[in-house]
Amino acid sequence: MKLRLILLMALLVNWQAGAIAQNKLPKPTEEQMEWQKFETIAFIHFSINTFTDMEWGYGNESPELFNPSDLDCRQWVKICKDAGMEGVILTAKHHDGFCLWPSAYTEYSVKNSPWKNGQGDVVREFADACQEYGLKMGLYLSPWDCNHPDYGKPGYNEYFKNQLTELLTNYGDIFEIWFDGANGGRGYYGTDSLHNRSISKDYYDWQGFIGLVRELQPNCIVHGGGLPDIRWVGNEEGHAAKTHWSTLRPNDQFSKDKSFPAQLNEGHEDGSRWLPSETDVSVRPGWYYHAAEDHQVKSLPRLMDIYYESVGRNSLLLLNLSPDKRGLIHPIDSLRLLQWKRQLDQDFKEDLVNSKCQFSSNNKKKLKKAFDNNYDSYWQAAGEDSYLEIDFRKSLTLNRLLLQEYIPEGQRVKAFRVDYLEDGSWKELARETTIGYKRILRFLPITTQKLRITFEESLAPAMITKVSAYNAPILLAEPTIRRDQQGMVSIHSPEKFGEVFYTTDGSAPSRQSEPYTEPFLNDGKVTVKAIVYSGDNHGEVGEQMFGLSKKQWTVVGTDATKLPLFDGKPYTSWVSANNVKEVVVDFGEAIAFSGLTYLPDQARWSRGIALNYQISISEDGENWTELASGDFSNIRNNPITQTIDLGKKVTSRFLKFATRAAADGQRVLGIAELDVISK
């Protein structure tokens, strides 16, 4: 009797602790919940930058440059609709200050452009297109304004409120307002008064800005600012962390042992506020249209990775499109989005978890609620190590598993394990952490009759509203082609199956081309193209142009013969000594080149990303001539390959690449790859 009483008291204590934890869990508002269910939305970057071929304008560009010949917002929105998007956000004003609507508070807008003789309003046409196609409309308004003379002074806050009021009252319902975090205090250009104006941390009247949003658009989600509803995911590369909480601590309680972007990327298990993430990434390397990037639109496999690493990791995907100078989405971009939608439809075409399956658990109460395709009903775990087991009644092949928590009652699952039955015994398939609104696991195909999900650790009893399994078709990605410093070319297929064929004469590869079996030597100027085949199916062609041999290249001050900044591997990096922030390259002999490329450190927690550059050359390594200097725009958030055109061909044995400032105030320079352009 005493033992029974002790057990009863222990259960009561555990139940009370669970109930207290459950009541303390942060929970989403109705607006946050509706927003999360959109899953994928679109960004549109279009402005004066489109016509100047820039990413971040100076704010002194003439409005007369803005003159799209065939602007059609209906085309933009229809593409987004066809791609399965639920909403679209337009950059109404970027950092340069140019307004896509005829604002009454500035002359720096479309009303002083030749487009439609100054009578046009892009925001109006965009709003009408969204209404026509049934998509939610969002607007981006940059707090940073390089054009306005009062930026940095108290009066600018009123100017910003006036413009915000125009957008919130004249164009109908807005589902999301996007405030960017970039500001004049960052000093990216730093060479003139427009871009060197500093601001204090409390300069913006965030309470006033967001108060206007709450008053004029009460159902609108706020991104950015001091009182947001959602958070930035911490990068512009398209991925949330595998462990991804929708909760966050207050800013002053962030860990000092991990970077701010890293914590945004993961969230906080003990976060006191529900602040889900939005993963913003562009279809192209840049956010605005640049003709030079027409060949760099993200591949279909890369877009699929982005989906699985954002939506599939409890985030919302904000995918950017860039209309060109005509005012139209380029055909390459639109085709890629439609391919992406078709592939997603194929991946999730048939749910293998259906009414023919048999379900079991150590808590059978409301068991089928986890499998009824109704988000508002759920199965609740009895405690730690509760499990859900699916018997498909026959052997099936699958390579995807989708799980959803009932997040209106908070995010709960901290750790779960997936096992499958093979030859009469259970075999571990995956061991993961968080689930949240949606978690999708990808794995190599398995064939099994039974699947078991065990919830090993939770903040409160897990509430599971959906479990689905799929056998997605194989998508053959384009192969990666690299050459190391010794001139050895290697070709890698992202898949663990298929055959690779390649050419070195510039022709398109096919099954009749040379099969790739091992790295081969080709240390001169060459273009390598490769393709992966699986049966009659094949992926996209991978292509890589290689220039001068780097066999003799060295870094002055080091004795290493194999250097990571010349090895052709973007995931290895060279980092300078502390407080140096430069690298001196000895080519071994005088070479001719007309530019160079710099790829920053690609590590998740990168080191020494150069915000600007100074390029110098020397014949003897002692006497230097500076050739070029400038800034890399938005490189901290989008650390892609940067191309520096010298404007002329030069000949030199020594090259110095230096930066005055590295991202996050770091005191080193980090380089994944450094190369010259020898055309």
Side-chain angles (χ1 to χ4, degrees):
M1 185 68 182
K2 181 182 286 187
L3 177 61
R4 190 176 297 177
L5 182 60
I6 291 172
L7 290 173
L8 183 61
M9 290 178 65
L11 287 171
L12 182 60
V13 169
N14 287 335
W15 179 86
Q16 287 176 331
I20 292 171
Q22 182 171 330
N23 290 332
K24 287 186 176 181
L25 288 177
K27 299 172 185 178
T29 64
E30 290 184 13
E31 290 77 20
Q32 288 172 320
M33 193 66 237
E34 181 181 357
W35 173 88
Q36 187 87 60
K37 288 181 178 180
F38 290 155
E39 297 194 1
T40 60
I41 58 177
F43 226 164
I44 300 286
H45 274 67
F46 181 69
S47 187
I48 199 86
N49 292 338
T50 307
F51 300 87
T52 59
D53 207 28
M54 297 179 69
E55 281 291 296
W56 288 6
Y58 287 87
N60 55 7
E61 297 83 9
S62 171
E64 293 186 3
L65 294 172
F66 185 86
N67 193 20
S69 57
D70 297 293
L71 188 141
D72 186 358
C73 294
R74 296 177 69 257
Q75 187 237 17
W76 309 350
V77 176
K78 185 178 186 303
I79 289 169
C80 296
K81 176 81 171 181
D82 292 344
M85 306 291 192
E86 296 288 341
V88 195
I89 300 173
L90 172 67
T91 53
K93 184 187 80 168
H94 205 250
H95 311 324
D96 49 76
F98 184 79
C99 300
L100 292 184
W101 78 101
S103 175
Y105 299 96
T106 182
E107 296 302 307
Y108 199 51
S109 79
V110 290
K111 67 184 179 184
N112 285 315
S113 76
W115 177 63
K116 293 194 172 181
N117 297 315
Q119 302 302 307
D121 185 342
V122 180
V123 178
R124 168 51 57 202
E125 294 189 16
F126 173 71
D128 291 345
C130 288
Q131 185 174 19
E132 178 180 347
Y133 286 103
L135 266 64
K136 302 288 185 179
M137 178 186 68
L139 294 174
Y140 166 116
L141 188 66
S142 171
W144 184 15
D145 191 318
C146 296
N147 177 266
H148 200 280
D150 288 338
Y151 181 79
K153 302 175 184 178
Y156 175 78
N157 279 306
E158 291 306 311
Y159 169 77
F160 189 81
K161 288 179 188 177
N162 288 334
Q163 290 200 319
L164 181 59
T165 299
E166 286 181 318
L167 294 176
L168 295 174
T169 56
N170 294 334
Y171 297 98
D173 291 338
I174 297 174
F175 85 97
E176 182 175 337
I177 193 80
W178 224 90
F179 296 130
D180 203 310
N183 60 69
R186 299 281 289 275
Y188 274 109
Y189 294 100
T191 54
D192 57 44
S193 60
L194 287 175
H195 301 90
N196 207 25
R197 291 176 287 183
S198 62
I199 63 169
S200 61
K201 290 183 178 180
D202 59 353
Y203 170 66
Y204 294 125
D205 180 15
W206 287 121
Q207 188 168 358
F209 299 165
I210 297 178
L212 274 176
V213 179
R214 306 293 186 218
E215 175 188 350
L216 300 175
Q217 295 276 351
N219 298 319
C220 182
I221 287 289
V222 176
H223 174 284
L227 301 166
D229 299 304
I230 57 177
R231 75 178 194 263
W232 179 49
V233 79
N235 63 75
E236 294 178 353
E237 300 161 31
H239 58 77
K242 285 186 176 181
T243 297
H244 197 73
W245 293 95
S246 292
T247 50
L248 211 65
R249 301 172 191 156
N251 287 0
D252 60 359
Q253 295 179 23
F254 272 45
S255 171
K256 295 181 180 179
D257 298 327
K258 189 178 290 186
S259 72
F260 199 86
Q263 293 179 74
L264 291 175
N265 194 242
E266 296 176 355
H268 297 125
E269 174 189 325
D270 59 352
S272 58
R273 186 176 179 197
W274 189 270
L275 210 65
S277 73
E278 185 175 67
T279 300
D280 59 320
V281 61
S282 184
V283 169
R284 290 167 169 260
W287 292 92
Y288 285 94
Y289 176 81
H290 308 289
E293 294 178 353
D294 283 350
H295 69 292
Q296 293 180 288
V297 175
K298 288 181 172 58
S299 68
L300 177 58
R302 179 66 191 120
L303 286 180
M304 293 301 293
D305 285 343
I306 287 171
Y307 175 86
Y308 282 109
E309 293 173 9
S310 57
V311 177
R313 291 182 181 172
N314 186 38
S315 188
L316 179 140
L317 174 59
L318 175 58
L319 189 62
N320 181 68
L321 294 172
S322 314
D324 58 25
K325 292 181 180 181
R326 299 171 302 164
L328 299 173
I329 304 295
H330 195 282
I332 296 174
D333 306 54
S334 58
L335 176 61
R336 190 57 42 81
L337 249 67
L338 295 179
Q339 292 172 334
W340 177 65
K341 176 61 166 60
R342 283 197 295 269
Q343 187 66 41
L344 284 172
D345 289 344
Q346 287 295 314
D347 277 20
F348 302 105
K349 184 177 181 179
E350 182 184 2
D351 188 352
L352 302 177
V353 179
N354 52 46
S355 59
K356 297 179 181 179
C357 298
Q358 182 175 335
F359 309 110
S360 59
S361 172
N362 53 356
N363 179 26
K364 296 183 179 180
K365 186 178 180 181
K366 297 184 178 179
L367 176 59
K368 290 190 177 181
K369 297 293 186 182
F371 308 100
D372 63 0
N373 288 316
N374 178 3
Y375 186 82
D376 293 321
S377 66
Y378 54 86
W379 165 86
Q380 182 166 327
E384 305 296 348
D385 290 326
S386 288
Y387 67 86
L388 290 170
E389 187 175 307
I390 307 164
D391 184 347
F392 297 107
R393 301 280 186 97
K394 61 180 179 180
S395 289
L396 295 175
T397 300
L398 57 140
N399 55 16
R400 302 285 188 273
L401 179 67
L402 183 153
L403 302 169
Q404 288 189 271
E405 285 187 81
Y406 185 69
I407 60 172
E409 292 299 325
Q411 187 177 353
R412 301 173 171 223
V413 177
K414 290 178 60 177
F416 68 97
R417 187 183 76 248
V418 182
D419 300 289
Y420 67 100
L421 198 65
E422 182 180 69
D423 297 329
S425 61
W426 290 102
K427 184 176 181 180
E428 185 175 298
L429 175 63
R431 188 179 290 271
E432 299 291 347
T433 54
T434 53
I435 296 175
Y437 172 72
K438 181 171 284 189
R439 184 69 188 273
I440 308 173
L441 306 185
R442 290 187 293 175
F443 41 87
L444 291 175
I446 61 167
T447 300
T448 186
Q449 182 176 324
K450 291 185 178 182
L451 204 64
R452 176 185 287 174
I453 304 112
T454 303
F455 303 96
E456 298 182 319
E457 193 174 359
S458 301
L459 298 179
M463 293 178 170
I464 304 301
T465 183
K466 185 170 185 176
V467 180
S468 296
Y470 304 89
N471 187 29
I474 299 301
L475 178 61
L476 296 172
E478 70 177 53
T480 300
I481 306 167
R482 296 181 179 137
R483 186 172 75 180
D484 66 19
Q485 191 175 355
Q486 308 309 309
M488 296 300 293
V489 178
S490 57
I491 306 174
H492 301 281
S493 169
E495 310 294 345
K496 296 181 184 289
F497 45 82
E499 301 174 274
V500 177
F501 299 87
Y502 72 96
T503 63
T504 57
D505 60 2
S507 63
S510 67
R511 268 197 171 280
Q512 284 67 51
S513 302
E514 186 75 17
Y516 176 79
T517 56
E518 61 183 2
F520 58 91
L521 180 65
N522 195 314
D523 200 28
K525 291 186 178 181
V526 65
T527 297
V528 180
K529 296 182 179 181
I531 193 169
V532 181
Y533 274 86
S534 178
D536 293 330
N537 297 324
H538 63 79
E540 298 182 17
V541 174
E543 178 178 347
Q544 186 65 53
M545 297 174 60
F546 298 108
L548 300 173
S549 170
K550 302 178 187 176
K551 191 176 294 186
Q552 300 183 68
W553 292 16
T554 59
V555 171
V556 174
T558 178
D559 296 328
T561 55
K562 294 183 179 181
L563 293 160
L565 70 172
F566 306 137
D567 65 2
K569 300 175 182 177
Y571 49 82
T572 63
S573 294
W574 173 91
V575 179
S576 69
N578 213 22
N579 294 318
V580 176
K581 290 188 290 189
E582 68 176 32
V583 62
V584 176
V585 178
D586 181 356
F587 298 125
E589 61 182 359
I591 64 171
F593 57 97
S594 58
L596 64 152
T597 58
Y598 160 63
L599 180 66
D601 183 3
Q602 298 294 291
R604 183 64 57 88
W605 318 128
S606 57
R607 295 176 294 170
I609 295 179
L611 300 180
N612 45 53
Y613 62 87
Q614 291 174 310
I615 309 299
S616 304
I617 57 173
S618 173
E619 294 301 319
D620 56 11
E622 296 182 3
N623 300 294
W624 295 92
T625 300
E626 183 175 311
L627 291 179
S629 63
D631 300 274
F632 297 126
S633 64
N634 201 31
I635 190 172
R636 171 63 185 85
N637 302 323
N638 195 25
I640 60 175
T641 299
Q642 308 292 315
T643 300
I644 302 167
D645 186 358
L646 299 176
K648 60 180 179 180
K649 182 165 283 191
V650 298
T651 301
S652 179
R653 173 169 172 169
F654 293 91
L655 171 74
K656 182 190 292 184
F657 178 93
T659 185
R660 298 186 306 278
D664 301 322
Q666 295 178 351
R667 296 182 293 174
V668 295
L669 169 64
I671 304 175
E673 289 294 310
L674 190 68
D675 203 354
V676 299
I677 300 170
S678 57
K679 292 181 181 178

